[in-house]
Amino acid sequence: MKFSPLIERLIESLRCLPGVGPKTAQRMAFQILERNRENGLHLANTLREAIQTIRHCDKCRTFCETTLCALCSSTHRDSALLCIVESPMDMSVVEQMGTYRGLYFVLMGHLSPLDGIGPEDIGLHELDQRLSQNIIQEVILATNSTVEGEATAHYISNLVRKRAIKVSRIAHGVPLGGELEYIDTHTLVRAFAARSEL
Amino acid sequence: MKFSPLIERLIESLRCLPGVGPKTAQRMAFQILERNRENGLHLANTLREAIQTIRHCDKCRTFCETTLCALCSSTHRDSALLCIVESPMDMSVVEQMGTYRGLYFVLMGHLSPLDGIGPEDIGLHELDQRLSQNIIQEVILATNSTVEGEATAHYISNLVRKRAIKVSRIAHGVPLGGELEYIDTHTLVRAFAARSEL
């Protein structure tokens, strides 16, 4: 035991945060105790409130503290357009474009059979129900361009097509500002295949 | 506003932790909400308990939840020997040697006139009172080898000498395993000056 029991417990608890090892946890604990007690207490209260209050939006599955999230309850969005993303953070990235006016569906993950994550776990049953209501006219698949993200997009595209709804995938290619020299071959193959006439 | 108000507040609160910027705070918030709610709640409770309970040991000024810390209340330590360190972490490093059997005094900082940190702020009044009790026979100065640490050690050494108590400073020199090629000149000068006959 290097420190008093309560300090040791605090250091151990801080390690539940991602990327925080024993040394960082120790530094955090002492910094809070030495000169940040007020903010630390505020963090403790907010953390507890958030954990006890935050749930999933009934419609799009993103995190929020209300039944419906701000976007799903907005009347200014095009309810015929649905963008499917993997996480609330991806949703915020799409929102930052400032040009997308449709709604979202947040998978909160991706298909990963090896980890036991199947269609039910990423809310595809709810998605199918939503598609069956004949409101959505186009689904935009904006899952990550990883192996799992692509597989998930492929699976969902079959689901959407069965309902005779238009489905699209965001484009793959060279990022703006990207130099060809540093682009991997697979991306370049996709960029050539999807070239557009000028 | 990128996320719901409560999520934004949680992300903002997490930024009171040292080394946590907006992106890390966001990742921490979502990781806790997605798959670590139980540990998160545990962290919130421990954090509050620690902040409300942890105080300074009445004798050595280190952090603990009791009036006297475990070391100061131990009967197995040599009360004639006092090691002065800057922080509880330094105290734990000295303890890890496993060979020091004396007691400690933790400054909880160092003299830093530019930041308005004077002798009173690092407990030198309490230290002087402790020295006046005629129990301590040697004071070992183990403050950092930084400019502030050296200045603090120098200041305290005068204080101790006035009480006619022996005072020593831990040695400066080449660390074990250290290669001369990578040692700075000042350290090498000290290592040469303090050389010992074989």
Side-chain angles (χ1 to χ4, degrees):
Chain A
M1 183 89 63
K2 289 164 63 184
F3 304 107
S4 77
L6 184 52
I7 295 180
E8 288 286 343
R9 276 204 285 131
L10 176 59
I11 293 172
E12 189 52 41
S13 305
L14 283 163
R15 294 197 53 196
C16 79
L17 298 171
V20 175
K23 207 75 192 174
T24 310
Q26 192 174 304
R27 200 160 44 89
M28 286 177 166
F30 282 107
Q31 170 133 340
I32 290 173
L33 290 172
E34 268 172 53
R35 37 172 185 259
N36 229 343
R37 291 200 181 209
E38 204 178 315
N39 286 336
L41 208 54
H42 183 67
L43 169 59
N45 293 336
T46 314
L47 192 55
R48 180 208 293 264
E49 186 187 345
I51 288 171
Q52 288 172 343
T53 315
I54 287 171
R55 53 192 295 290
H56 294 280
C57 167
D58 276 357
K59 207 167 164 189
C60 77
R61 284 172 46 99
T62 193
F63 280 130
C64 64
E65 57 265 38
T66 41
T67 317
L68 284 186
C69 73
L71 270 173
C72 283
S73 46
S74 164
T75 52
H76 301 293
R77 310 289 298 208
D78 181 356
S79 56
L81 206 54
L82 188 73
C83 175
I84 299 187
V85 291
E86 291 186 26
S87 74
M89 267 170 288
D90 295 343
M91 180 170 157
S92 116
V93 169
V94 176
E95 274 303 286
Q96 274 170 54
M97 294 196 309
T99 55
Y100 178 71
R101 308 306 304 163
L103 295 174
Y104 291 90
F105 189 83
V106 184
L107 302 171
M108 301 300 299
H110 47 234
L111 289 178
S112 181
L114 286 179
D115 302 315
I117 301 172
E120 286 299 302
D121 302 302
I122 58 170
L124 297 193
H125 184 68
E126 289 96 313
L127 176 65
D128 198 44
Q129 279 198 314
R130 197 159 159 193
L131 295 176
S132 72
Q133 291 161 359
N134 284 322
I135 300 170
I136 293 155
Q137 283 162 25
E138 181 179 353
V139 169
I140 301 174
L141 297 169
T143 53
N144 289 333
S145 295
T146 55
V147 175
E148 295 88 352
E150 292 291 346
T152 308
H154 182 77
Y155 188 96
I156 298 175
S157 70
N158 285 333
L159 207 75
V160 183
R161 247 184 249 111
K162 266 186 207 151
R163 297 270 177 201
I165 294 170
K166 188 175 157 188
V167 56
S168 58
R169 177 85 172 111
I170 55 168
H172 296 305
V174 181
L176 295 194
E179 298 179 50
L180 286 204
E181 194 178 340
Y182 301 108
I183 300 291
D184 67 294
T185 320
H186 298 293
T187 303
L188 209 55
V189 168
R190 298 291 285 263
F192 267 74
R195 68 191 180 276
S196 57
E197 214 173 314
L198 294 180
Chain B
M1 182 90 62
K2 288 164 64 182
F3 305 107
S4 77
L6 184 51
I7 295 179
E8 289 286 343
R9 277 204 286 132
L10 176 58
I11 293 171
E12 190 52 39
S13 305
L14 282 163
R15 294 196 52 194
C16 79
L17 300 171
V20 175
K23 207 76 193 173
T24 310
Q26 193 174 303
R27 199 159 47 87
M28 285 175 167
F30 282 107
Q31 170 134 340
I32 290 173
L33 291 172
E34 268 170 55
R35 36 172 186 257
N36 229 343
R37 292 199 179 209
E38 204 178 317
N39 286 336
L41 208 54
H42 182 67
L43 169 59
N45 292 337
T46 313
L47 192 54
R48 179 207 293 263
E49 187 188 346
I51 289 170
Q52 288 172 341
T53 315
I54 287 170
R55 53 192 294 290
H56 294 281
C57 167
D58 275 357
K59 206 167 165 189
C60 77
R61 283 171 46 99
T62 194
F63 280 130
C64 62
E65 56 266 36
T66 40
T67 317
L68 284 186
C69 73
L71 269 174
C72 284
S73 46
S74 164
T75 53
H76 302 293
R77 311 287 299 207
D78 181 356
S79 56
L81 205 54
L82 188 73
C83 176
I84 299 187
V85 291
E86 290 186 25
S87 72
M89 266 171 288
D90 296 343
M91 180 170 157
S92 116
V93 170
V94 176
E95 274 302 287
Q96 275 170 53
M97 295 195 307
T99 56
Y100 178 72
R101 305 308 302 164
L103 294 175
Y104 292 89
F105 188 82
V106 184
L107 301 170
M108 301 301 298
H110 46 236
L111 288 178
S112 182
L114 287 178
D115 302 314
I117 301 173
E120 286 300 301
D121 303 301
I122 57 170
L124 297 193
H125 184 68
E126 289 96 315
L127 176 66
D128 199 43
Q129 280 199 312
R130 197 159 158 192
L131 295 175
S132 72
Q133 292 162 359
N134 284 321
I135 300 170
I136 294 157
Q137 285 162 23
E138 181 179 353
V139 169
I140 301 173
L141 296 169
T143 53
N144 289 332
S145 294
T146 56
V147 175
E148 295 89 351
E150 292 292 344
T152 307
H154 183 76
Y155 188 96
I156 298 174
S157 70
N158 287 332
L159 207 75
V160 182
R161 249 185 247 112
K162 267 186 207 152
R163 297 270 176 200
I165 294 170
K166 187 176 159 189
V167 56
S168 58
R169 176 87 171 109
I170 54 169
H172 296 304
V174 181
L176 294 195
E179 298 180 49
L180 287 204
E181 194 179 341
Y182 301 109
I183 300 291
D184 67 296
T185 320
H186 298 292
T187 303
L188 210 53
V189 167
R190 298 292 284 265
F192 268 72
R195 69 191 177 277
S196 57
E197 213 173 315
L198 294 179

